[in-house]
Amino acid sequence: TRSTRPQRMLKAVQKNATKGNPESVISAIDYFCKNSEWAMNVGDEKGSILDSVVTEVNPSTVLELGTYCGYSTVRIARLLSPGTKLITLEFNPAYATVARQIIAYAGLQDKVTQVEGSSADLIPQIKERFSITTFDFIFLDHWKDRYLPDIKLFEECGLLRKGSVLLADNVICPGAPEYLEYVRNSPRYESRYYPAHLEYTKVEDGLEKSVFLG
Ligand SMILES: O=C(NC/C=C/[C@H]1O[C@@H](n2cnc3c(NCCO)ncnc32)[C@H](O)[C@@H]1O)c1cc(-c2ccc(F)cc2)cc(O)c1O
Ligand SMILES: [Mg+2]
């Protein structure tokens, strides 16, 4: 049967990137998406903004919602201090399998804990299962209508502390209007919009960074 787009993306990484070199994995995926097949990775333009926020926060505890093929997982993990691991949630086993291979090809498997399942089920289990008290940095890039229910779940489960940084992809395209309204109007968050473009296109999109104020 015909291969899937994530499988073709993995082949492109194995063909064009250098094993153990995260930068070459990122470049190989961006090249594939610009020249062969568009895919919903955060991409190079928004990825550079993601890089700058991760570098600024220098987090000890990190959560990503929506691994997909692991592109942003690699971007984040390559910047983490030694000994720091990120947890990434993905409920599609086929995507998780491709991501595992892309993360391993980049040599970052020791900095990543991949968890298969839905954020709605897993978020309430995180403290117990991973001995986490709160997250320093959370990247939201899963289903856009789940951003708001999941940020409320973070609050209910006591997973945020004064200064926790949440960064959300696609707040313009496809859009997360309820989430934006919430973080921009809640007195418990200080929010800032980073304008950019939808990955590999000229369509307007951007990232919303929201700091929890406690
Ligand atoms: O839809 C987009 N992203 C969704 C990501 C989903 C991934 O995350 C996984 N996932 C989803 N919900 C959950 C969940 N929890 C949810 C239930 O609890 N728990 C765990 N994993 C979850 C999926 O299995 C996928 O792996 C998108 C679209 C465009 C786009 C723009 C313009 C266009 F024309 C077309 C497309 C651009 C983007 O950058 C985008 O991110
Ligand atoms: Mg996205």
Side-chain angles (χ1 to χ4, degrees), residues 38 40 66 68 89-92 95 117-120 141-144 146 169-170 173-174 198-199:
W38 186 92
M40 60 180 178
Y68 185 42
L89 312 184
E90 175 54 56
F91 66 12
N92 179 314
Y95 292 163
S118 112
S119 53
D141 195 18
H142 60 326
W143 283 348
K144 311 314 160 192
R146 300 298 306 177
D169 189 25
N170 312 113
C173 177
L198 176 68
E199 48 268 27

Side-chain angles (χ1 to χ4, degrees), residues 71-180:
Y71 175 89
S72 48
T73 322
V74 166
R75 286 203 81 110
I76 298 167
R78 83 192 204 287
L79 299 174
L80 298 179
S81 306
T84 303
K85 289 186 78 158
L86 80 81
I87 297 170
T88 184
L89 312 184
E90 175 54 56
F91 66 12
N92 179 314
Y95 292 163
T97 300
V98 166
R100 190 175 309 284
Q101 295 171 83
I102 287 179
I103 292 160
Y105 199 86
L108 295 169
Q109 64 283 353
D110 296 344
K111 301 184 83 71
V112 178
T113 300
Q114 273 188 256
V115 189
E116 280 194 36
S118 112
S119 53
D121 301 334
L122 293 168
I123 289 170
Q125 302 173 4
I126 285 175
K127 276 185 183 271
E128 190 72 32
R129 277 178 67 174
F130 303 100
S131 316
I132 298 264
T133 48
T134 57
F135 283 107
D136 299 331
F137 180 77
I138 298 173
F139 183 54
L140 298 92
D141 195 18
H142 60 326
W143 283 348
K144 311 314 160 192
D145 62 356
R146 300 298 306 177
Y147 284 15
L148 183 55
D150 285 351
I151 193 173
K152 289 184 173 172
L153 207 46
F154 291 133
E155 293 174 16
E156 286 155 29
C157 298
L159 283 164
L160 304 178
R161 51 120 175 125
K162 189 171 167 36
S164 291
V165 173
L166 296 98
L167 190 65
D169 189 25
N170 312 113
V171 295
I172 305 298
C173 177
E178 302 86 0
Y179 175 82
L180 272 190

Side-chain angles (χ1 to χ4, degrees), residues 196-205:
H197 298 89
L198 176 68
E199 48 268 27
Y200 318 115
T201 77
K202 292 184 169 38
V203 173
E204 184 188 348
D205 189 20

Side-chain angles (χ1 to χ4, degrees), residues 184-203:
R184 291 179 174 173
N185 296 301
S186 164
R188 306 186 73 184
Y189 294 89
E190 182 59 46
S191 251
R192 174 182 164 185
Y193 176 63
Y194 292 79
H197 298 89
L198 176 68
E199 48 268 27
Y200 318 115
T201 77
K202 292 184 169 38
V203 173

